[in-house]
Amino acid sequence: MIKELDIISKATKDYVIATNAKSFDDFRLIYSLTNIIMNEKDKNRNFKYTKKYTLKKIDKIVSEFLSYLNPYYMDYYNIRKNDGSIIFDQNKDIQDNIAYSEYDDIYNKRIIYIPIRNTIEDAFSIVHELFHDINIDETQPNVTRLFYTEALSLLGEILLEEYLVKKQIKDAKIPINYDLYCAKSKAIEVSFNINLLLKYIEDNYIDANSIISIIENYPSNYSNDISDTIYKIVDKEELTLDFEQPYILGTLIATYMYDRIKKDKNNILELFELNQELKNYDFEQVLDYLDVDYCDDDLKQESYKNLENCYKKYIKNR
């Protein structure tokens, strides 16, 4: 265990040096958003699928949903299928594989990888990754997209669930239930990362005793998530904050945008326009577009409250 703690200590120091982090202010925004998700009580969710779906059936479901949502998205889906960008992996030994989308700049091609599990989850994976592909920037890494693309993909899943529930499709609520479960786990992971960094910034070092103290400050029911986080940091030999924090913002922005759509169906245009223009906006411009008020590098308290209320409302109404 001492070796693992030494790796965590070095990873924390390396992050502070690389980012030149100075104080809590450098993490205030994501820390506050993380607490919104962590403070939501756990609920017993159903993650067990009861019905099998063929790829042909999944493709039909996705096509009909996209046609209903936006005919352009239906056309886009067909283009990506026809140009070979979408890889439907039907290998039986793929249980641990994860869907993803990326732009391969070596071969100058898009990749949308979907491991087929023959459950309704496949439809959600397709929609999620297709939305990522719509707003991908082929020319350069885009920080704004990094933070907001998860919001748009998760919103696509939320709208798909709403559509499928109305159609009385079996197991329609399970994928989002799992997304919400993962959001809580990711929030704990982000929180742990930030507390490591704050301890280092406060003392100008972090040792095994400090790390153990941070671990012990978490409730016992968080122990599995903390253990998983420690394993990932040790395995990568670096903190996981940068990888996981977009999911925190994405979850809250998605439920916020969904609430706006429920209040005014015309707000669905925000999804379509951001999907097209995300790479042309900076971080604050997206907040302006969505009427999220901020000041300097932080959100205003009213904005935090709005995000929290929309998240709680979404959770409660499930």
Side-chain angles (χ1 to χ4, degrees):
M1 185 64 177
I2 297 299
K3 180 181 178 181
E4 286 82 357
L5 295 177
D6 286 343
I7 292 173
I8 295 172
S9 176
K10 182 179 184 303
T12 305
K13 178 182 178 180
D14 290 346
Y15 188 97
V16 171
I17 293 173
T19 62
N20 198 31
K22 300 288 188 185
S23 71
F24 175 69
D25 288 342
D26 293 306
F27 307 102
R28 185 185 302 276
L29 172 61
I30 193 63
Y31 191 82
S32 300
L33 296 176
T34 295
N35 283 336
I36 291 175
I37 295 177
M38 287 181 64
N39 290 338
E40 183 63 30
K41 291 183 179 179
D42 294 327
K43 292 186 178 181
N44 293 324
R45 301 289 187 184
N46 175 26
F47 303 142
K48 186 175 181 180
Y49 294 98
T50 61
K51 181 177 174 60
K52 292 291 185 180
Y53 290 86
T54 64
L55 177 55
K56 182 178 180 180
K57 178 63 175 177
I58 289 295
D59 180 63
K60 184 174 185 292
I61 288 172
V62 171
S63 297
E64 290 176 348
F65 165 67
L66 293 175
S67 181
Y68 157 80
L69 183 68
N70 186 336
Y72 165 78
Y73 283 11
M74 172 60 188
D75 293 339
Y76 192 91
Y77 178 48
N78 286 331
I79 289 171
R80 289 291 166 250
K81 285 191 293 182
N82 293 333
D83 70 10
S85 296
I86 302 181
I87 301 171
F88 295 117
D89 188 350
Q90 300 188 71
N91 190 320
K92 298 302 180 183
D93 300 322
I94 59 167
Q95 292 306 308
D96 294 332
N97 290 13
I98 298 174
Y100 66 85
S101 62
E102 66 179 15
Y103 181 73
D104 188 329
D105 54 11
I106 296 177
Y107 295 99
N108 295 320
K109 62 179 292 186
R110 294 167 182 258
I111 299 173
I112 303 174
Y113 173 76
I114 309 294
I116 299 300
R117 309 189 193 283
N118 296 121
T119 68
I120 199 64
E121 177 188 359
D122 296 336
F124 286 80
S125 295
I126 294 170
V127 169
H128 187 102
E129 301 306 330
L130 187 74
F131 278 33
H132 280 323
D133 186 77
I134 290 172
N135 59 58
I136 203 167
D137 189 347
E138 296 182 358
T139 60
Q140 60 185 356
N142 186 299
V143 174
T144 301
R145 178 185 181 272
L146 174 67
F147 275 95
Y148 289 108
T149 186
E150 284 302 326
L152 303 182
S153 285
L154 180 55
L155 178 57
E157 289 193 60
I158 291 172
L159 295 171
L160 173 60
E161 180 195 79
E162 181 182 70
Y163 173 83
L164 296 181
V165 168
K166 289 179 181 177
K167 295 284 186 179
Q168 298 183 323
I169 298 295
K170 194 78 170 176
D171 296 340
K173 283 185 169 288
I174 296 177
I176 299 294
N177 284 347
Y178 186 70
D179 284 343
L180 294 172
Y181 166 80
C182 288
K184 181 67 171 288
S185 294
K186 289 178 183 298
I188 296 168
E189 181 172 348
V190 168
S191 170
F192 183 70
N193 274 257
I194 292 176
N195 281 321
L196 290 173
L197 292 164
L198 293 179
K199 185 62 177 174
Y200 184 91
I201 290 170
E202 178 184 354
D203 297 338
N204 204 31
Y205 77 96
I206 187 168
D207 58 16
N209 288 332
S210 301
I211 298 169
I212 291 172
S213 177
I214 291 172
I215 294 170
E216 291 176 343
N217 279 336
Y218 284 92
S220 59
N221 59 312
Y222 288 0
S223 59
N224 287 339
D225 291 305
I226 297 297
S227 295
D228 289 344
T229 301
I230 290 172
Y231 173 82
K232 288 200 282 186
I233 293 173
V234 171
D235 182 57
K236 294 177 179 291
E237 296 188 7
E238 62 182 11
L239 297 190
T240 59
L241 175 61
D242 288 350
F243 182 77
E244 299 296 352
Q245 61 182 342
Y247 294 94
I248 305 304
L249 178 65
T251 297
L252 295 174
I253 291 293
T255 52
Y256 170 78
M257 290 179 70
Y258 181 65
D259 189 72
R260 287 165 68 84
I261 293 169
K262 298 301 288 182
K263 291 175 179 176
D264 182 352
K265 63 182 182 181
N266 290 325
N267 284 330
I268 190 70
L269 294 176
E270 294 176 345
L271 168 62
F272 305 147
E273 291 175 3
L274 282 178
N275 246 342
Q276 292 299 125
E277 299 297 328
L278 194 55
K279 63 184 178 182
N280 298 321
Y281 288 175
D282 62 29
F283 189 89
E284 288 79 11
Q285 283 177 311
V286 177
L287 295 179
D288 288 333
Y289 181 84
L290 295 174
D291 296 326
V292 178
D293 292 330
Y294 58 91
C295 182
D296 297 325
D297 294 326
D298 196 13
L299 301 186
K300 292 185 177 180
Q301 286 304 309
E302 182 181 356
S303 295
Y304 280 122
K305 198 62 182 176
N306 286 339
L307 291 174
E308 180 179 18
N309 288 340
C310 290
Y311 182 68
K312 287 180 175 291
K313 182 179 177 180
Y314 182 74
I315 298 291
K316 181 179 179 181
N317 290 339
R318 293 189 57 74

